[in-house]
Amino acid sequence: MNLSPCQKASILIESLPYIKTFYNQTVVIKYGGNAMINDELKQTVIKDIALMKFVGMNPVVVHGGGPEISHMMKKLGKEPKFIDGLRVTDEETMEITEMILLGKINRQIVSLINENGIKAVGISGKDGGMIQAVQKDPKLGLVGEIKKIDTSLIDTITEKGYIPIISPIGCGENGKTYNINADEVAGRLAAALGAKKLVLITDVKGVMKDQRDTSSIISHIKTAEIRKYIEEEIIGGGMIPKIQCCFDAVTMGVERAHIIDGRKPHSILLEIFTNEGIGTMITT
Ligand SMILES: Nc1ncnc2c1ncn2[C@@H]1O[C@H](COP(=O)(O)OP(=O)(O)O)[C@@H](O)[C@H]1O
Ligand SMILES: CC(=O)N[C@@H](CCC(=O)OP(=O)(O)O)C(=O)O
């Protein structure tokens, strides 16, 4: 798209009210593994996040990486197993999970942001004892349920001008490490940080009534309707922890949660800087 200088200037001017609304506000972005499709799309997501920081917002990124964990498990001869969208995690799976999330994906995101002139710091929920967890369900092994979040490390990173990039791993009693669904971390963190918005980037247009029909997208869901959608099996699989995390975030004070399509270039900016209202919005 070739825009004239005048058109470019008017786009900037139209963004001003949004920049003002979000100035110095925290926006938690969950960047899901299924949305990390190719390098080009990754670059556009990263540039959007860098731009948010440049205009004075405080983006906090929680990343996933489920498909890469499954890929490595298979390479090592282990078959991934999920119950209600959560990975059954034995000790070896936990090691693989930490290696892929913190050792690979977190490092990649930090490098990409740094390349765009903004500095990022990569941590997991174990750093500074940030995310305290307990076992969620013995059936799931080392899958954690968040008990407590200490945001002081994130506050410090943000105050110093860096973007925190967080791997969804928590710590428990006796030095235990827990695998926590990234949506759950993002939702709870958004609430604990008093974020204005939670944005979940995934690989579908949003929540759909019928997944085979993209025009059946539900643009607004109120928390009171969520249980019905799950009971009627309209929402299933990986969408369950996603919608649950939106529920938690908005009932704990986050104004709005959005599930948006990371395959659409600049979906975060369209969500924040325009009235287009892409994806599914969740409010109380
Ligand atoms: N009603 C629904 N609308 C859209 N997607 C749904 C729905 N119910 C279940 N899903 C599934 O949820 C998936 C998104 O969750 P997940 O694969 O865990 O994504 P991510 O890796 O981004 O966290 C979709 O790809 C789709 O298969
Ligand atoms: C307990 C649990 O399921 N943890 C997730 C953590 C990563 C994640 O959530 O990645 P996505 O956002 O890409 O799905 C997992 O092991 O896959």
Side-chain angles (χ1 to χ4, degrees):
M1 192 176 19
N2 273 333
L3 298 176
S4 70
C6 218
Q7 283 170 318
K8 284 183 190 163
S10 67
I11 289 174
L12 277 174
I13 287 162
E14 275 172 31
S15 307
L16 272 177
Y18 302 99
I19 294 175
K20 202 170 140 211
T21 305
F22 284 97
Y23 188 76
N24 213 12
Q25 298 288 333
T26 300
V27 178
V28 173
I29 298 152
K30 188 272 175 153
Y31 187 18
N34 279 317
M36 297 171 186
I37 305 163
N38 58 45
D39 285 347
E40 200 184 329
L41 264 178
K42 267 191 210 164
Q43 287 283 359
T44 69
V45 170
I46 297 298
K47 281 188 196 303
D48 288 2
I49 295 168
L51 184 97
M52 288 166 70
K53 189 76 176 172
F54 272 123
V55 297
M57 301 177 193
N58 295 325
V60 172
V61 179
V62 177
H63 68 84
E68 281 225 40
I69 300 168
S70 296
H71 180 69
M72 182 54 83
M73 284 179 73
K74 286 182 192 154
K75 247 179 151 172
L76 298 171
K78 285 179 83 72
E79 196 46 45
K81 203 175 143 210
F82 292 86
I83 300 175
D84 286 339
L86 300 174
R87 186 185 308 277
V88 177
T89 306
D90 61 14
E91 297 232 353
E92 199 185 2
T93 305
M94 188 64 247
E95 260 180 54
I96 298 168
T97 300
E98 196 164 16
M99 182 175 83
I100 295 295
L101 291 181
L102 191 59
K104 186 174 178 198
I105 297 176
N106 191 297
R107 301 291 83 210
Q108 255 176 14
I109 298 175
V110 167
S111 301
L112 287 172
I113 292 190
N114 288 346
E115 278 168 24
N116 280 282
I118 291 275
K119 293 218 161 42
V121 173
I123 52 174
S124 87
K126 279 163 79 176
D127 288 275
M130 179 170 72
I131 300 177
Q132 302 282 341
V134 293
Q135 189 181 46
K136 201 185 236 331
D137 182 336
K139 279 200 305 257
L140 294 166
L142 291 168
V143 170
E145 178 168 306
I146 300 171
K147 277 287 143 207
K148 209 169 140 220
I149 296 189
D150 174 359
T151 61
S152 54
L153 180 58
I154 298 183
D155 293 338
T156 308
I157 293 171
T158 305
E159 275 160 24
K160 298 274 178 205
Y162 299 99
I163 301 181
I165 312 295
I166 299 151
S167 296
I169 295 165
C171 49
E173 279 182 350
N174 307 320
K176 274 221 163 79
T177 299
Y178 285 111
N179 178 12
I180 310 178
N181 177 269
D183 297 313
E184 193 175 328
V185 170
R188 290 289 303 274
L189 204 54
L193 287 166
K196 193 165 178 71
K197 216 185 239 274
L198 167 68
V199 181
L200 305 177
I201 310 173
T202 184
D203 67 338
V204 283
K205 281 180 94 176
V207 179
M208 283 168 281
K209 281 213 166 104
D210 173 0
Q211 284 184 59
R212 290 158 302 180
D213 174 11
T214 53
S215 68
S216 70
I217 184 161
I218 311 170
S219 53
H220 185 188
I221 298 181
K222 287 190 161 256
T223 45
E225 299 167 324
I226 290 177
R227 190 209 286 249
K228 180 188 74 174
Y229 284 128
I230 294 176
E231 279 171 3
E232 289 173 359
E233 292 178 5
I234 289 171
I235 293 177
M239 195 51 81
I240 294 178
K242 223 174 276 308
I243 203 83
Q244 184 63 46
C245 107
C246 295
F247 176 92
D248 289 347
V250 296
T251 50
M252 288 189 248
V254 176
E255 273 176 30
R256 288 168 177 199
H258 298 262
I259 298 172
I260 64 170
D261 190 354
R263 299 166 307 176
K264 183 173 171 135
H266 301 298
S267 49
I268 314 179
L269 292 190
L270 287 172
E271 180 45 58
I272 291 185
F273 291 115
T274 71
N275 268 333
E276 230 185 276
I278 57 169
T280 298
M281 175 173 80
I282 296 96
T283 60
T284 49

